[in-house]
Amino acid sequence: MPNYRKKDFPTQDARRLLEPGPIVLVSSAHGDHTNIMTMGWYMMMEFTPSLIGCCISEANHSFELVRKSRQCVINIPTVDLAAKAVKIGNCSGRGIDKFAEFGLTPKPGTHVRAPLIEECYANFECRLTDSSWIRKYNVFVFEIVKGHVAVSPKCPKTIHYCGDGEFMISGEHTRRFRKLFRPQML
Ligand SMILES: Cc1cc2nc3c(=O)[nH]c(=O)nc-3n(C[C@H](O)[C@H](O)[C@H](O)COP(=O)(O)O)c2cc1C
């Protein structure tokens, strides 16, 4: 299993890892309960503060933990963790401790009580900033308040869900279109 050394990461740069849409593991804690769920439905919403909207079904155990604690951690797994990410997304944490069940290590955060998943490439600590879309869309709008990202590799092999059991594993990165950007759009 990967053992990443991480450094502080500017929260306004979280989008550089999140915009391409890798599936993420949402860890949460409330009272004595901690949990993990897999999530593919989210979107970046603002640069600064760094805002992300997350669609968490109310049928999920995580929904109540996140709603009550008003926090979570968004963890980015790499392809080494793909099978675990699928299994985590196919069971409920109501009756089991998913950290123990899947051999993952909860690590204390600095800004939220929800645990970081140590084996993930990146961890973003989040606080709920707008609850007004929860009732209508099950969308929680979080502010990313702290980022921890592995020092290497620079381009992690993230996993991107395409539906119907199919995934894309991130491949080639290129900067050849960079000159086409206006500087404020980078
Ligand atoms: C690849 C993948 C993507 C998923 N994306 C989402 C999502 O965006 N939102 C959601 O509510 N559930 C999503 N799920 C389903 C949850 O992860 C699943 O319901 C999980 O078992 C919930 O766990 P919990 O009840 O312990 O919270 C996804 C599952 C997989 C495998």
Side-chain angles (χ1 to χ4, degrees):
M1 287 230 276
N3 180 16
Y4 293 118
R5 187 169 70 82
K6 290 171 195 167
K7 62 174 185 187
D8 284 353
F9 191 76
T11 54
Q12 69 270 23
D13 287 341
R15 57 166 295 236
R16 297 192 58 185
L17 286 152
L18 293 174
E19 206 166 84
I23 58 157
V24 298
L25 297 173
V26 179
S27 47
S28 55
H30 182 66
D32 295 338
H33 292 260
T34 58
N35 197 28
I36 314 174
M37 68 165 267
T38 306
M39 180 176 74
W41 287 12
Y42 60 84
M43 62 174 167
M44 292 305 301
M45 295 174 67
E46 183 53 280
F47 288 88
T48 314
S50 184
L51 300 186
I52 180 169
C54 300
C55 187
I56 299 177
S57 165
E58 62 194 341
N60 292 349
H61 184 46
S62 303
F63 180 91
E64 279 306 306
L65 299 185
V66 171
R67 195 181 62 81
K68 288 181 178 154
S69 65
R70 302 177 66 83
Q71 310 178 333
C72 74
V73 178
I74 293 177
N75 307 273
I76 304 185
T78 46
V79 67
D80 333 61
L81 295 177
K84 284 183 198 259
V86 173
K87 288 181 192 164
I88 287 167
N90 279 275
C91 66
S92 170
R94 278 193 187 86
I96 56 165
D97 172 353
K98 291 197 195 175
F99 278 96
E101 182 76 17
F102 296 104
L104 296 170
T105 313
K107 193 181 164 192
T110 53
H111 289 55
V112 300
R113 267 201 61 233
L116 280 53
I117 302 175
E118 188 155 69
E119 289 80 4
C120 284
Y121 176 83
N123 323 95
F124 295 115
E125 300 185 37
C126 297
R127 286 204 195 109
L128 186 65
T129 187
D130 186 343
S131 55
S132 63
W133 287 1
I134 299 175
R135 187 186 289 256
K136 191 165 181 193
Y137 298 113
N138 290 343
V139 168
F140 295 71
V141 180
F142 294 108
E143 178 180 349
I144 298 176
V145 292
K146 180 75 185 169
H148 314 261
V149 174
V151 178
S152 73
K154 190 162 178 281
C155 302
K157 289 227 168 295
T158 47
I159 16 177
H160 304 248
Y161 191 47
C162 310
D164 197 29
E166 184 180 312
F167 288 88
M168 179 185 74
I169 296 163
S170 66
E172 186 192 358
H173 285 235
T174 178
R175 289 172 85 80
R176 66 177 177 269
F177 307 109
R178 199 170 191 276
K179 56 182 179 300
L180 305 177
F181 277 80
R182 286 185 282 146
Q184 67 272 26
M185 302 296 283
L186 282 170

